[in-house]
Amino acid sequence: MFDFTADPDLPKPERYRQLADAAEALISGENDVVANMANVAALMAEFIPGLNWAGFYRLVEGELVLGPFIGRPACIRIPLDQGVCGAAAKSGQTQLVADVHEFPGHIACDAVSASELVVPVYRDAEVCAVIDLDSPTKGYFDADDAAGVELLAARLSGSI
Ligand code: SME
């Protein structure tokens, strides 16, 4: 049994450090990318409060394809010129969107999503996936969330 318990009272940077450490512990020695993404999706839902969706899209033959996640069923394929996820994968840059309804081309998979954070994951200097977090609260994510998820993405490099 794995027992990674998130402490909601910890400051965000420390909570994200614990999330990254837990993720590393879970994926170390395992080379099945689906198993690793599935466990990390579960950890993100555990450690990051206030989400309605947390998971992965993988870059497969030039488009994003849905990976393991926690949340409601979502769009399966996203072209790189569409959505917040496409923008993150295409630019290689984190996308922090305070109000998804203001983001041109945002793809509404779950009508309750109001803000979104998408962070690219790299393998051999190329984007191989994105981490996507959605919240039903406008302006939910801040620079600490972006830095924390970027730390997690860096630790996953080579394991997903
Ligand atoms: N909103 C995303 C699509 C994925 S769902 O949020 C799970 C986007 O605009 O890329």
Side-chain angles (χ1 to χ4, degrees), residues 53 57 74-75 78 82-86 105-109 113 116 132 134:
W53 203 93
Y57 278 88
C75 338
I78 300 179
Q82 286 180 28
V84 185
C85 292
H106 164 254
I107 301 164
C109 292
S113 295
E116 185 159 356
D132 183 16
D134 287 23

mmCIF file of all heavy atoms in Angstrom, residues 53 57 74-75 78 82-86 105-109 113 116 132 134, ligand 1:
data_model
loop_
_atom_site.group_PDB
_atom_site.id
_atom_site.type_symbol
_atom_site.label_atom_id
_atom_site.label_comp_id
_atom_site.label_asym_id
_atom_site.label_seq_id
_atom_site.Cartn_x
_atom_site.Cartn_y
_atom_site.Cartn_z
ATOM 1 N N TRP A 53 -10.259 18.506 -12.549
ATOM 2 C CA TRP A 53 -9.633 17.601 -13.526
ATOM 3 C C TRP A 53 -8.111 17.706 -13.356
ATOM 4 O O TRP A 53 -7.583 18.807 -13.197
ATOM 5 C CB TRP A 53 -10.030 18.017 -14.952
ATOM 6 C CG TRP A 53 -9.938 16.927 -15.973
ATOM 7 C CD1 TRP A 53 -10.951 16.084 -16.359
ATOM 8 C CD2 TRP A 53 -8.793 16.557 -16.767
ATOM 9 N NE1 TRP A 53 -10.500 15.216 -17.323
ATOM 10 C CE2 TRP A 53 -9.186 15.482 -17.595
ATOM 11 C CE3 TRP A 53 -7.479 17.010 -16.858
ATOM 12 C CZ2 TRP A 53 -8.320 14.864 -18.496
ATOM 13 C CZ3 TRP A 53 -6.610 16.403 -17.748
ATOM 14 C CH2 TRP A 53 -7.027 15.343 -18.555
ATOM 15 N N TYR A 57 -1.990 14.757 -21.212
ATOM 16 C CA TYR A 57 -2.138 14.515 -22.650
ATOM 17 C C TYR A 57 -0.753 14.201 -23.183
ATOM 18 O O TYR A 57 0.226 14.856 -22.814
ATOM 19 C CB TYR A 57 -2.699 15.749 -23.361
ATOM 20 C CG TYR A 57 -4.209 15.857 -23.258
ATOM 21 C CD1 TYR A 57 -4.806 16.502 -22.184
ATOM 22 C CD2 TYR A 57 -5.026 15.295 -24.235
ATOM 23 C CE1 TYR A 57 -6.186 16.588 -22.079
ATOM 24 C CE2 TYR A 57 -6.406 15.378 -24.140
ATOM 25 C CZ TYR A 57 -6.979 16.022 -23.067
ATOM 26 O OH TYR A 57 -8.349 16.100 -22.966
ATOM 27 N N ALA A 74 -12.918 13.242 -20.971
ATOM 28 C CA ALA A 74 -12.429 14.456 -21.631
ATOM 29 C C ALA A 74 -12.205 14.213 -23.128
ATOM 30 O O ALA A 74 -12.196 13.069 -23.590
ATOM 31 C CB ALA A 74 -11.123 14.892 -20.973
ATOM 32 N N CYS A 75 -11.982 15.326 -23.860
ATOM 33 C CA CYS A 75 -11.694 15.238 -25.297
ATOM 34 C C CYS A 75 -10.497 14.320 -25.485
ATOM 35 O O CYS A 75 -9.522 14.397 -24.733
ATOM 36 C CB CYS A 75 -11.310 16.590 -25.872
ATOM 37 S SG CYS A 75 -11.856 17.978 -24.940
ATOM 38 N N ILE A 78 -6.366 16.463 -29.266
ATOM 39 C CA ILE A 78 -6.291 17.926 -29.351
ATOM 40 C C ILE A 78 -5.168 18.300 -30.327
ATOM 41 O O ILE A 78 -3.991 18.002 -30.068
ATOM 42 C CB ILE A 78 -6.006 18.561 -27.967
ATOM 43 C CG1 ILE A 78 -7.114 18.195 -26.963
ATOM 44 C CG2 ILE A 78 -5.864 20.056 -28.089
ATOM 45 C CD1 ILE A 78 -6.898 18.750 -25.557
ATOM 46 N N GLN A 82 -4.841 24.109 -31.113
ATOM 47 C CA GLN A 82 -6.105 24.322 -30.392
ATOM 48 C C GLN A 82 -5.934 24.188 -28.886
ATOM 49 O O GLN A 82 -5.155 23.350 -28.414
ATOM 50 C CB GLN A 82 -7.161 23.308 -30.842
ATOM 51 C CG GLN A 82 -7.726 23.614 -32.222
ATOM 52 C CD GLN A 82 -8.768 22.599 -32.643
ATOM 53 O OE1 GLN A 82 -9.440 22.003 -31.811
ATOM 54 N NE2 GLN A 82 -8.878 22.402 -33.946
ATOM 55 N N GLY A 83 -6.696 24.996 -28.181
ATOM 56 C CA GLY A 83 -6.805 24.819 -26.736
ATOM 57 C C GLY A 83 -5.581 25.269 -25.952
ATOM 58 O O GLY A 83 -4.535 25.615 -26.509
ATOM 59 N N VAL A 84 -5.763 25.246 -24.646
ATOM 60 C CA VAL A 84 -4.678 25.629 -23.742
ATOM 61 C C VAL A 84 -3.584 24.547 -23.804
ATOM 62 O O VAL A 84 -2.383 24.848 -23.809
ATOM 63 C CB VAL A 84 -5.211 25.777 -22.300
ATOM 64 C CG1 VAL A 84 -4.112 26.294 -21.384
ATOM 65 C CG2 VAL A 84 -6.424 26.708 -22.255
ATOM 66 N N CYS A 85 -4.011 23.296 -23.890
ATOM 67 C CA CYS A 85 -3.040 22.196 -23.959
ATOM 68 C C CYS A 85 -2.213 22.278 -25.233
ATOM 69 O O CYS A 85 -0.990 22.099 -25.208
ATOM 70 C CB CYS A 85 -3.763 20.849 -23.889
ATOM 71 S SG CYS A 85 -4.523 20.545 -22.294
ATOM 72 N N GLY A 86 -2.894 22.561 -26.360
ATOM 73 C CA GLY A 86 -2.169 22.685 -27.632
ATOM 74 C C GLY A 86 -1.139 23.805 -27.559
ATOM 75 O O GLY A 86 -0.002 23.646 -28.014
ATOM 76 N N GLY A 105 -9.883 29.819 -28.330
ATOM 77 C CA GLY A 105 -9.706 28.421 -28.722
ATOM 78 C C GLY A 105 -9.727 27.439 -27.575
ATOM 79 O O GLY A 105 -9.471 26.245 -27.775
ATOM 80 N N HIS A 106 -10.024 27.931 -26.381
ATOM 81 C CA HIS A 106 -10.119 27.006 -25.236
ATOM 82 C C HIS A 106 -11.116 25.892 -25.561
ATOM 83 O O HIS A 106 -12.179 26.127 -26.132
ATOM 84 C CB HIS A 106 -10.582 27.770 -23.986
ATOM 85 C CG HIS A 106 -11.076 26.877 -22.900
ATOM 86 N ND1 HIS A 106 -12.411 26.735 -22.586
ATOM 87 C CD2 HIS A 106 -10.410 26.024 -22.084
ATOM 88 C CE1 HIS A 106 -12.539 25.852 -21.608
ATOM 89 N NE2 HIS A 106 -11.341 25.420 -21.287
ATOM 90 N N ILE A 107 -10.754 24.656 -25.179
ATOM 91 C CA ILE A 107 -11.634 23.513 -25.429
ATOM 92 C C ILE A 107 -12.316 23.159 -24.108
ATOM 93 O O ILE A 107 -11.644 22.801 -23.136
ATOM 94 C CB ILE A 107 -10.821 22.307 -25.945
ATOM 95 C CG1 ILE A 107 -10.108 22.693 -27.242
ATOM 96 C CG2 ILE A 107 -11.725 21.107 -26.159
ATOM 97 C CD1 ILE A 107 -9.003 21.724 -27.625
ATOM 98 N N ALA A 108 -13.637 23.266 -24.098
ATOM 99 C CA ALA A 108 -14.393 22.988 -22.858
ATOM 100 C C ALA A 108 -14.716 21.495 -22.793
ATOM 101 O O ALA A 108 -15.614 21.022 -23.478
ATOM 102 C CB ALA A 108 -15.660 23.817 -22.824
ATOM 103 N N CYS A 109 -13.938 20.774 -21.989
ATOM 104 C CA CYS A 109 -14.230 19.345 -21.802
ATOM 105 C C CYS A 109 -15.215 19.168 -20.664
ATOM 106 O O CYS A 109 -16.023 18.256 -20.668
ATOM 107 C CB CYS A 109 -12.948 18.579 -21.488
ATOM 108 S SG CYS A 109 -11.816 18.513 -22.870
ATOM 109 N N SER A 113 -15.118 23.852 -15.584
ATOM 110 C CA SER A 113 -13.744 24.387 -15.548
ATOM 111 C C SER A 113 -13.762 25.897 -15.776
ATOM 112 O O SER A 113 -14.374 26.377 -16.724
ATOM 113 C CB SER A 113 -12.880 23.731 -16.629
ATOM 114 O OG SER A 113 -12.737 22.366 -16.359
ATOM 115 N N GLU A 116 -7.214 27.239 -15.614
ATOM 116 C CA GLU A 116 -6.458 26.072 -16.075
ATOM 117 C C GLU A 116 -4.951 26.352 -16.008
ATOM 118 O O GLU A 116 -4.515 27.473 -16.235
ATOM 119 C CB GLU A 116 -6.884 25.785 -17.524
ATOM 120 C CG GLU A 116 -6.291 24.529 -18.123
ATOM 121 C CD GLU A 116 -7.119 24.013 -19.310
ATOM 122 O OE1 GLU A 116 -8.187 24.581 -19.625
ATOM 123 O OE2 GLU A 116 -6.678 23.033 -19.927
ATOM 124 N N ASP A 132 -2.150 18.692 -17.300
ATOM 125 C CA ASP A 132 -3.278 19.627 -17.366
ATOM 126 C C ASP A 132 -4.049 19.610 -16.048
ATOM 127 O O ASP A 132 -4.457 18.544 -15.587
ATOM 128 C CB ASP A 132 -4.205 19.195 -18.524
ATOM 129 C CG ASP A 132 -5.374 20.148 -18.716
ATOM 130 O OD1 ASP A 132 -5.329 21.277 -18.188
ATOM 131 O OD2 ASP A 132 -6.341 19.764 -19.416
ATOM 132 N N ASP A 134 -7.332 21.564 -14.088
ATOM 133 C CA ASP A 134 -8.477 22.462 -14.242
ATOM 134 C C ASP A 134 -9.096 22.714 -12.874
ATOM 135 O O ASP A 134 -9.173 21.799 -12.041
ATOM 136 C CB ASP A 134 -9.572 21.817 -15.100
ATOM 137 C CG ASP A 134 -9.209 21.744 -16.571
ATOM 138 O OD1 ASP A 134 -8.009 21.777 -16.890
ATOM 139 O OD2 ASP A 134 -10.126 21.633 -17.383
HETATM 140 N N1 SME B 1 -9.329 22.718 -21.659
HETATM 141 C C1 SME B 1 -8.284 22.032 -22.362
HETATM 142 C C2 SME B 1 -8.738 20.716 -22.901
HETATM 143 C C3 SME B 1 -8.508 19.584 -21.982
HETATM 144 S S1 SME B 1 -9.581 19.526 -20.685
HETATM 145 O O1 SME B 1 -9.470 20.729 -19.877
HETATM 146 C C4 SME B 1 -9.353 18.176 -19.786
HETATM 147 C C5 SME B 1 -7.735 22.903 -23.457
HETATM 148 O O2 SME B 1 -8.303 23.950 -23.782
HETATM 149 O O3 SME B 1 -6.721 22.512 -24.032
#
